[in-house]
Amino acid sequence: MLLSLIVWLPAIFGVIAYLSGERRSKHVTLLGAVLDLVLALYLSVSFNWSEAYRMQFTEVYPWIRMFGVSYKLSVDGLSMTLVLLTTILFVSSALGSMRIIKERNALYNLLLMVLQTGILGVFVSMDLFIFFLFWEVELIPMYFLIAIWGSENRRYAAIKFFIFTHIGSLLMFFTFIFIHLKYFWTTGIRTFDYSTLTAAEGYMPLTLAKILCSLLIIGYLIKVPSVPLHTWLPDAHVEAPSPISVILAGLLLKTGGYGILRMGYGLFPKAAASISTWIAGLGALSLFYASLVAISQINLKRLVAYSSIAHMGVFLVGIGSHTVIGWVGAMFMMFSHGLINGMLFNMCGFYKYRFHSYDIPILKGFTKAMPISSAFLVFGGMASLGLPGLSGFPAEFFSFMGAFKAFGYVAIPLIAGLLLNAAYNLWMIQRMIFGEQRYEDEAEDLVVTEIVALLIPSAFIILLGVYPAPLAELYRVVALNMIG
Amino acid sequence: MLEYVVFVVLVLGLADLAVDLLKNADRLASLFSSTSSLLLILSVFLPDRQLFAYSLNSFFKLASLAVGISLLIIVLSGELMKTERPGLYNGLLILTALGAVLASAADDFISMLVAWQLSTLSSYVLVSLKKDIFGAEAGMKYLVIGLASFGALIFGIGLIAGSTGSLNYVSISRTITGNPVTLLGVVFLISALGYKMAAFPFFVWMPDTYQGALPVVGGVLSAITKTMAFMVAFKIFLVALLPIKVLWVPIIAIISALTMIYGNIAALVQENARRMLAYSSIAHAGYILMALAALSSSAIVGGLSHIFVHAVMKVVAFATVMQVLMITGSDYFKDFAGLRRRAPLTLFSMAVSFMTMIGIPLTAGFWTKYVIFLGAVGGGMWWLTAIAVICSVISIWYYIKPLRWGFVEGGELMTEGAPSRAAQVGMLLGTAVIFLLGFVPSPLLALAREAMLSIIP
């Protein structure tokens, strides 16, 4: 029952928030998000870490017997940490929304909480059909959150987001149905159960499995996103309200990454292994391309958006290495990038609220007026460039270890990608923080809710940077089991 | 019991025509029609009966459920109460519905024609209600093309009856053979039924009629008349003409593909809600015909249940459009801006009905489309399924467009007025059906399976 409670609690609170009116809805939402975080912490404490590869807290109820659909929720180590990440970021996002969202609060909070239910559902469902349902459930609130509360060009960005990601989910659904039918034709059993269908690859020739697996992974690569399927992301991020960008970068991209691992490699272990090199190549391409583009940005939010693509490129390199250590790095990257970019996007929102712009030339020069905010920005930038001692470092380190192990000398140029990564972050900090001070008293520093919104992810960033061992060990157990 | 239900509904319909003589009887008139709709819905729970040549079995019950729910929502939407002669119009509405369910129950061509005419003649008058130039155009187009299609229907029946020497579906299926005469008969039948279903290329009357006539007409035609056309088509093709399926399966498959493609592409450029719904209705005719073309049991179950879902979702959509028309005086998408403050429930119901037309998961339309597609693949119609899937993706665009105007765009309405309470009850009833079947589709699919087994044992 614990997983169902965690998944559905936000939606229930969303409805309560909607009914409690414009003014109180924010507080109800925050309460719901915090309660969910507490539940997720309880889940991670009672989770058996040493057997993280095993599915735990399983609940199964048959739903539509006719099609073999059952409501099955379960978590292994990977899912459990992503549930934790989701609840952390939603608390952060709810806090960040407090001042930024000024109109139609009730509806906003309803959609936000439904979105949380959708994302949590993706991470814990172990029935392909339910997985697909939750996957669709996240799209619709996201569309409206961008289209209603976004900035000037929001409609274009929202529809672009919807079309891109919907194509991805159709590719996914098509493969799911195919696997389902293939299993049905071979064994006579109609089922969408994940752990049963992992056998389906054995029932088809490797070429077919490769085609299906590629379609599936392309669907997820749209969401990750990887160059050249990334073009929806900068638009969506810049137009979305910042607390939503937190979710978009921190979690929606992770559902794509999670999909590659859970479904791509889980359902087609052999086929996916054979196309791993391609995934790593796309990852490297993303890393270089997005870092170069990020350097040339003058829009702070666009810069952070491209840094997301670059970091997910590192994630793909880790996955594509198809080694245990690479996977540890990749999973670590999902968790760490969610925290870091979630934090940075929240800050973009705080600046926009004060200066009505995301452009670095307009923002810069507030260090004296806003010391707390400046400290957080420096911290976020350092975390993003992978400073040792913060959570970004082990993520990148393990990913590249995997790449060196798998590809040898070919992987050495990737180091240059890290340099680019450092370059745009440092230059951003330099332009924003140092130099001529243009604001005195008129710029108000962060208020308590905003500081808490940033402190929560920061605490985890430091914790995981200083002491990555437990999480890395957890991921090692999971990866070892999946790669075998 | 069931035969008495039919009689009571008939009496209620005729009584409503008599109510026309009374003044200020609009409440009485709609009481009769809502009672009829409840009777039709409740008939699902009664045991099967035979009434003359009408088999009142599960097949009838499926049609009766779809038509009953549609009728109830139409009556609740209150459009007909505002007309000058509510008794007459409610009476005609009841007779349209009764004819439709009886036509689906008929076991031979003559009984089918009697019920068919009861339904279509009543609907001709309903379509011609609006007294302006557009109403006249709508009524005229529908009447002339409807009469032509009736001619084609009679001619097709004549050719088939003449070559087999029988009018009963089952006895026709025993003797029918594929020859040029029956082929011609089949072609005429398809074109006649295609007019009512609005399949390609017989749909041309439809958008103008929907837009020009009273808004309620779109609901009646797409929920009740189309349900009749589909149910009759399924019965004729699956019972009487099954032995010569090699003749008609290719024709239906091609028509289905063209209907889907044309309906979806033409809907993309529409800026008017009723025209868009007309084209969406055409597109859905394509999906249902696909089930007929695939001929696997799963596809037929899906097709039959999609007929039901199509009726419910179209009638909900038209009920919401009626409310929008009442509030803003326009059903162009751009005039939807600002509705969200005045009529949030209406917009919500519209969104739900559009979502289920797209086939978004957790709504009824998703499951029925899913079963059709799965069944079509099982029946070997890969190419048709591929077209249908692509069309479903395209359709997102034109369903999102009006919702975007309604939900996203700001703006103030210049007019007064809000949706009536009865209409809101009706719309919420429809959305509840859509959601309930979205979470638990099994009862509908079970009923559709029984309906299939009742005609093909």
PDB file of all heavy atoms in Angstrom, chain B residues 388-402:
ATOM      1  N   ALA B 388      -4.837   3.998 -39.689  1.00  0.00           N
ATOM      2  CA  ALA B 388      -5.669   4.453 -38.577  1.00  0.00           C
ATOM      3  C   ALA B 388      -4.823   5.063 -37.468  1.00  0.00           C
ATOM      4  O   ALA B 388      -5.191   6.092 -36.890  1.00  0.00           O
ATOM      5  CB  ALA B 388      -6.496   3.292 -38.030  1.00  0.00           C
ATOM      6  N   VAL B 389      -3.680   4.431 -37.181  1.00  0.00           N
ATOM      7  CA  VAL B 389      -2.834   4.961 -36.109  1.00  0.00           C
ATOM      8  C   VAL B 389      -2.306   6.336 -36.493  1.00  0.00           C
ATOM      9  O   VAL B 389      -2.349   7.289 -35.699  1.00  0.00           O
ATOM     10  CB  VAL B 389      -1.672   3.991 -35.814  1.00  0.00           C
ATOM     11  CG1 VAL B 389      -0.664   4.641 -34.897  1.00  0.00           C
ATOM     12  CG2 VAL B 389      -2.204   2.723 -35.181  1.00  0.00           C
ATOM     13  N   ILE B 390      -1.842   6.460 -37.745  1.00  0.00           N
ATOM     14  CA  ILE B 390      -1.324   7.760 -38.173  1.00  0.00           C
ATOM     15  C   ILE B 390      -2.426   8.810 -38.109  1.00  0.00           C
ATOM     16  O   ILE B 390      -2.220   9.938 -37.641  1.00  0.00           O
ATOM     17  CB  ILE B 390      -0.726   7.649 -39.591  1.00  0.00           C
ATOM     18  CG1 ILE B 390       0.500   6.742 -39.545  1.00  0.00           C
ATOM     19  CG2 ILE B 390      -0.355   9.014 -40.135  1.00  0.00           C
ATOM     20  CD1 ILE B 390       0.995   6.325 -40.890  1.00  0.00           C
ATOM     21  N   CYS B 391      -3.619   8.423 -38.552  1.00  0.00           N
ATOM     22  CA  CYS B 391      -4.736   9.374 -38.522  1.00  0.00           C
ATOM     23  C   CYS B 391      -5.051   9.792 -37.090  1.00  0.00           C
ATOM     24  O   CYS B 391      -5.358  10.958 -36.828  1.00  0.00           O
ATOM     25  CB  CYS B 391      -5.975   8.761 -39.151  1.00  0.00           C
ATOM     26  SG  CYS B 391      -5.901   8.706 -40.928  1.00  0.00           S
ATOM     27  N   SER B 392      -4.978   8.834 -36.164  1.00  0.00           N
ATOM     28  CA  SER B 392      -5.262   9.177 -34.770  1.00  0.00           C
ATOM     29  C   SER B 392      -4.270  10.210 -34.263  1.00  0.00           C
ATOM     30  O   SER B 392      -4.628  11.089 -33.482  1.00  0.00           O
ATOM     31  CB  SER B 392      -5.164   7.950 -33.873  1.00  0.00           C
ATOM     32  OG  SER B 392      -6.153   7.043 -34.207  1.00  0.00           O
ATOM     33  N   VAL B 393      -3.014  10.068 -34.694  1.00  0.00           N
ATOM     34  CA  VAL B 393      -2.012  11.041 -34.253  1.00  0.00           C
ATOM     35  C   VAL B 393      -2.328  12.413 -34.831  1.00  0.00           C
ATOM     36  O   VAL B 393      -2.308  13.423 -34.128  1.00  0.00           O
ATOM     37  CB  VAL B 393      -0.603  10.591 -34.679  1.00  0.00           C
ATOM     38  CG1 VAL B 393       0.415  11.616 -34.251  1.00  0.00           C
ATOM     39  CG2 VAL B 393      -0.286   9.249 -34.077  1.00  0.00           C
ATOM     40  N   ILE B 394      -2.661  12.436 -36.128  1.00  0.00           N
ATOM     41  CA  ILE B 394      -2.969  13.721 -36.772  1.00  0.00           C
ATOM     42  C   ILE B 394      -4.129  14.397 -36.062  1.00  0.00           C
ATOM     43  O   ILE B 394      -4.162  15.605 -35.881  1.00  0.00           O
ATOM     44  CB  ILE B 394      -3.324  13.487 -38.254  1.00  0.00           C
ATOM     45  CG1 ILE B 394      -2.110  12.995 -39.022  1.00  0.00           C
ATOM     46  CG2 ILE B 394      -3.859  14.756 -38.881  1.00  0.00           C
ATOM     47  CD1 ILE B 394      -2.424  12.612 -40.440  1.00  0.00           C
ATOM     48  N   SER B 395      -5.101  13.584 -35.623  1.00  0.00           N
ATOM     49  CA  SER B 395      -6.337  14.151 -35.089  1.00  0.00           C
ATOM     50  C   SER B 395      -6.086  14.980 -33.835  1.00  0.00           C
ATOM     51  O   SER B 395      -6.895  15.846 -33.514  1.00  0.00           O
ATOM     52  CB  SER B 395      -7.333  13.051 -34.797  1.00  0.00           C
ATOM     53  OG  SER B 395      -6.946  12.323 -33.660  1.00  0.00           O
ATOM     54  N   ILE B 396      -4.983  14.711 -33.132  1.00  0.00           N
ATOM     55  CA  ILE B 396      -4.714  15.478 -31.913  1.00  0.00           C
ATOM     56  C   ILE B 396      -4.761  16.975 -32.199  1.00  0.00           C
ATOM     57  O   ILE B 396      -5.303  17.751 -31.434  1.00  0.00           O
ATOM     58  CB  ILE B 396      -3.327  15.110 -31.356  1.00  0.00           C
ATOM     59  CG1 ILE B 396      -3.312  13.664 -30.930  1.00  0.00           C
ATOM     60  CG2 ILE B 396      -2.966  15.986 -30.179  1.00  0.00           C
ATOM     61  CD1 ILE B 396      -1.930  13.177 -30.609  1.00  0.00           C
ATOM     62  N   TRP B 397      -4.235  17.338 -33.355  1.00  0.00           N
ATOM     63  CA  TRP B 397      -4.089  18.749 -33.669  1.00  0.00           C
ATOM     64  C   TRP B 397      -5.433  19.460 -33.679  1.00  0.00           C
ATOM     65  O   TRP B 397      -5.607  20.493 -33.044  1.00  0.00           O
ATOM     66  CB  TRP B 397      -3.390  18.886 -35.021  1.00  0.00           C
ATOM     67  CG  TRP B 397      -3.295  20.296 -35.475  1.00  0.00           C
ATOM     68  CD1 TRP B 397      -4.008  20.888 -36.455  1.00  0.00           C
ATOM     69  CD2 TRP B 397      -2.441  21.313 -34.939  1.00  0.00           C
ATOM     70  NE1 TRP B 397      -3.671  22.195 -36.570  1.00  0.00           N
ATOM     71  CE2 TRP B 397      -2.702  22.488 -35.663  1.00  0.00           C
ATOM     72  CE3 TRP B 397      -1.488  21.341 -33.925  1.00  0.00           C
ATOM     73  CZ2 TRP B 397      -2.044  23.674 -35.404  1.00  0.00           C
ATOM     74  CZ3 TRP B 397      -0.833  22.530 -33.669  1.00  0.00           C
ATOM     75  CH2 TRP B 397      -1.110  23.670 -34.401  1.00  0.00           C
ATOM     76  N   TYR B 398      -6.420  18.887 -34.373  1.00  0.00           N
ATOM     77  CA  TYR B 398      -7.665  19.643 -34.483  1.00  0.00           C
ATOM     78  C   TYR B 398      -8.532  19.525 -33.242  1.00  0.00           C
ATOM     79  O   TYR B 398      -9.429  20.330 -33.043  1.00  0.00           O
ATOM     80  CB  TYR B 398      -8.443  19.300 -35.762  1.00  0.00           C
ATOM     81  CG  TYR B 398      -8.889  17.880 -35.965  1.00  0.00           C
ATOM     82  CD1 TYR B 398     -10.060  17.400 -35.415  1.00  0.00           C
ATOM     83  CD2 TYR B 398      -8.157  17.024 -36.774  1.00  0.00           C
ATOM     84  CE1 TYR B 398     -10.484  16.110 -35.641  1.00  0.00           C
ATOM     85  CE2 TYR B 398      -8.570  15.726 -37.005  1.00  0.00           C
ATOM     86  CZ  TYR B 398      -9.740  15.279 -36.425  1.00  0.00           C
ATOM     87  OH  TYR B 398     -10.147  13.999 -36.665  1.00  0.00           O
ATOM     88  N   TYR B 399      -8.282  18.527 -32.403  1.00  0.00           N
ATOM     89  CA  TYR B 399      -9.034  18.504 -31.144  1.00  0.00           C
ATOM     90  C   TYR B 399      -8.427  19.457 -30.121  1.00  0.00           C
ATOM     91  O   TYR B 399      -9.123  19.996 -29.270  1.00  0.00           O
ATOM     92  CB  TYR B 399      -9.059  17.097 -30.558  1.00  0.00           C
ATOM     93  CG  TYR B 399      -9.918  16.127 -31.321  1.00  0.00           C
ATOM     94  CD1 TYR B 399      -9.372  14.993 -31.887  1.00  0.00           C
ATOM     95  CD2 TYR B 399     -11.274  16.350 -31.473  1.00  0.00           C
ATOM     96  CE1 TYR B 399     -10.149  14.099 -32.595  1.00  0.00           C
ATOM     97  CE2 TYR B 399     -12.056  15.468 -32.176  1.00  0.00           C
ATOM     98  CZ  TYR B 399     -11.490  14.338 -32.727  1.00  0.00           C
ATOM     99  OH  TYR B 399     -12.258  13.462 -33.428  1.00  0.00           O
ATOM    100  N   ILE B 400      -7.124  19.642 -30.195  1.00  0.00           N
ATOM    101  CA  ILE B 400      -6.461  20.532 -29.230  1.00  0.00           C
ATOM    102  C   ILE B 400      -6.799  21.995 -29.525  1.00  0.00           C
ATOM    103  O   ILE B 400      -6.920  22.806 -28.626  1.00  0.00           O
ATOM    104  CB  ILE B 400      -4.925  20.321 -29.288  1.00  0.00           C
ATOM    105  CG1 ILE B 400      -4.562  18.985 -28.686  1.00  0.00           C
ATOM    106  CG2 ILE B 400      -4.187  21.453 -28.636  1.00  0.00           C
ATOM    107  CD1 ILE B 400      -4.006  19.035 -27.306  1.00  0.00           C
ATOM    108  N   LYS B 401      -6.976  22.322 -30.807  1.00  0.00           N
ATOM    109  CA  LYS B 401      -7.123  23.718 -31.208  1.00  0.00           C
ATOM    110  C   LYS B 401      -8.254  24.439 -30.457  1.00  0.00           C
ATOM    111  O   LYS B 401      -8.013  25.460 -29.823  1.00  0.00           O
ATOM    112  CB  LYS B 401      -7.315  23.791 -32.719  1.00  0.00           C
ATOM    113  CG  LYS B 401      -6.804  25.058 -33.323  1.00  0.00           C
ATOM    114  CD  LYS B 401      -6.541  24.957 -34.825  1.00  0.00           C
ATOM    115  CE  LYS B 401      -7.629  24.285 -35.609  1.00  0.00           C
ATOM    116  NZ  LYS B 401      -7.507  24.474 -37.061  1.00  0.00           N
ATOM    117  N   PRO B 402      -9.486  23.918 -30.490  1.00  0.00           N
ATOM    118  CA  PRO B 402     -10.537  24.620 -29.739  1.00  0.00           C
ATOM    119  C   PRO B 402     -10.278  24.643 -28.241  1.00  0.00           C
ATOM    120  O   PRO B 402     -10.604  25.632 -27.573  1.00  0.00           O
ATOM    121  CB  PRO B 402     -11.798  23.820 -30.066  1.00  0.00           C
ATOM    122  CG  PRO B 402     -11.337  22.531 -30.579  1.00  0.00           C
ATOM    123  CD  PRO B 402     -10.022  22.764 -31.224  1.00  0.00           C
TER     124      PRO B 402
END
